Amino acid sequence: MGALDEPGLLQRHRVTVDEYYRMADAGVLAPDARVELIDGEVIDMAPMKSAHARTVNWINTILVEAVRGRALVSCQTPLRLGDRSEPGPDLMLVRSRTDHYAASHPIASDVLLLVEVSDTSLAYDQRIKVPLYARHGVAEVWIVDLENRLIRFYRQPAGEQYLDITSTETPGLTPVAALPGLLLDLRGLLP
């Protein structure tokens, strides 16, 4: 915790998702800004390096092929979590909807699987985003940790944590709890 994070030192103005969108409409946020709203704060996202992009593309291809007709794959789109958070996870498997989420972004109960790819953001993903996802009831989260070459699996949300946390350095056939019988072949994901 830095000096500016001490309780009572600074008054912060936390914004709602609606205010966040009004900021974008008014030009306060650039149209191409890589930001997300977390607990009312607009957070800059790190630029995407090529290894991160490769991993997102690889997983996206696997997911699209595996879930055809059973779910939708959402790549780097917002997830609405209450009135003050709208993160942009790398990938989500979401429940099929006839409008393909044209009327509104997915919410936690729509998410079957959420994937974050981490090359420089592991601490942020683990300390900030995973508890946020758990608090809102996202059933299953994977963090693909490129720096340490492993995948971390978070299942069974309870409060701000997950009760079932595992990891592997050698991913293989991997189930998605919300889609019984589905096994994703993750061999080769961690080069």
Side-chain angles (χ1 to χ4, degrees), residues 54 58 171 185-191:
R54 172 254 180 218
W58 195 95
D185 188 353
L186 301 182
R187 291 175 290 197
L189 176 60
L190 300 171

Side-chain angles (χ1 to χ4, degrees), residues 56-79:
V56 169
N57 290 335
W58 195 95
I59 297 170
N60 184 60
T61 300
I62 296 299
L63 290 175
V64 167
E65 291 173 2
V67 303
R68 193 171 312 279
R70 295 182 71 186
L72 297 174
V73 179
S74 184
C75 186
Q76 298 184 328
T77 57
L79 171 63

Side-chain angles (χ1 to χ4, degrees), residues 6 18 70 74 117-118 135 144:
E6 292 180 31
D18 292 337
R70 295 182 71 186
S74 184
V117 176
S118 174
R135 184 168 67 243
V144 181

Side-chain angles (χ1 to χ4, degrees), residues 131 133-139 155-164:
Y133 297 146
R135 184 168 67 243
H136 287 277
V138 175
R155 297 178 179 105
Q156 299 177 6
E160 293 206 3
Q161 63 184 349
Y162 285 86
L163 300 179
D164 180 8

Side-chain angles (χ1 to χ4, degrees), residues 1-12:
M1 182 156 79
L4 297 179
D5 293 322
E6 292 180 31
L9 185 59
L10 294 177
Q11 181 64 35
R12 294 183 175 173

Side-chain angles (χ1 to χ4, degrees), residues 7-187:
L9 185 59
L10 294 177
Q11 181 64 35
R12 294 183 175 173
H13 176 72
R14 298 202 186 270
V15 299
T16 66
V17 173
D18 292 337
E19 291 168 333
Y20 176 64
Y21 277 96
R22 284 197 298 275
M23 291 168 63
D25 290 343
V28 174
L29 301 173
D32 60 347
R34 283 188 39 86
V35 295
E36 59 187 353
L37 184 66
I38 305 294
D39 290 328
E41 294 190 66
V42 179
I43 306 294
D44 288 325
M45 295 170 62
M48 188 179 299
K49 295 179 180 178
S50 60
H52 186 135
R54 172 254 180 218
T55 304
V56 169
N57 290 335
W58 195 95
I59 297 170
N60 184 60
T61 300
I62 296 299
L63 290 175
V64 167
E65 291 173 2
V67 303
R68 193 171 312 279
R70 295 182 71 186
L72 297 174
V73 179
S74 184
C75 186
Q76 298 184 328
T77 57
L79 171 63
R80 178 83 181 250
L81 298 176
D83 292 334
R84 295 203 180 268
S85 293
E86 197 172 88
D90 287 306
L91 292 152
M92 292 182 288
L93 282 181
V94 294
R95 296 182 194 290
S96 293
R97 221 168 73 178
T98 55
D99 74 343
H100 294 266
Y101 295 91
S104 64
H105 292 308
I107 60 174
S109 61
D110 294 316
V111 179
L112 306 171
L113 170 67
L114 185 147
V115 180
E116 293 283 6
V117 176
S118 174
D119 50 2
T120 60
S121 61
L122 182 61
Y124 173 67
D125 290 339
Q126 288 184 304
R127 293 180 193 155
I128 305 298
K129 291 180 93 173
V130 166
L132 175 71
Y133 297 146
R135 184 168 67 243
H136 287 277
V138 175
E140 184 168 358
V141 175
W142 298 356
I143 295 180
V144 181
D145 178 355
L146 297 178
E147 184 177 343
N148 296 300
R149 298 182 38 82
L150 52 87
I151 302 177
R152 302 167 193 273
F153 304 98
Y154 300 84
R155 297 178 179 105
Q156 299 177 6
E160 293 206 3
Q161 63 184 349
Y162 285 86
L163 300 179
D164 180 8
I165 302 170
T166 59
S167 64
T168 184
E169 295 175 338
T170 56
L173 294 177
T174 305
V176 175
L179 293 171
L182 178 70
L183 292 174
L184 300 176
D185 188 353
L186 301 182
R187 291 175 290 197

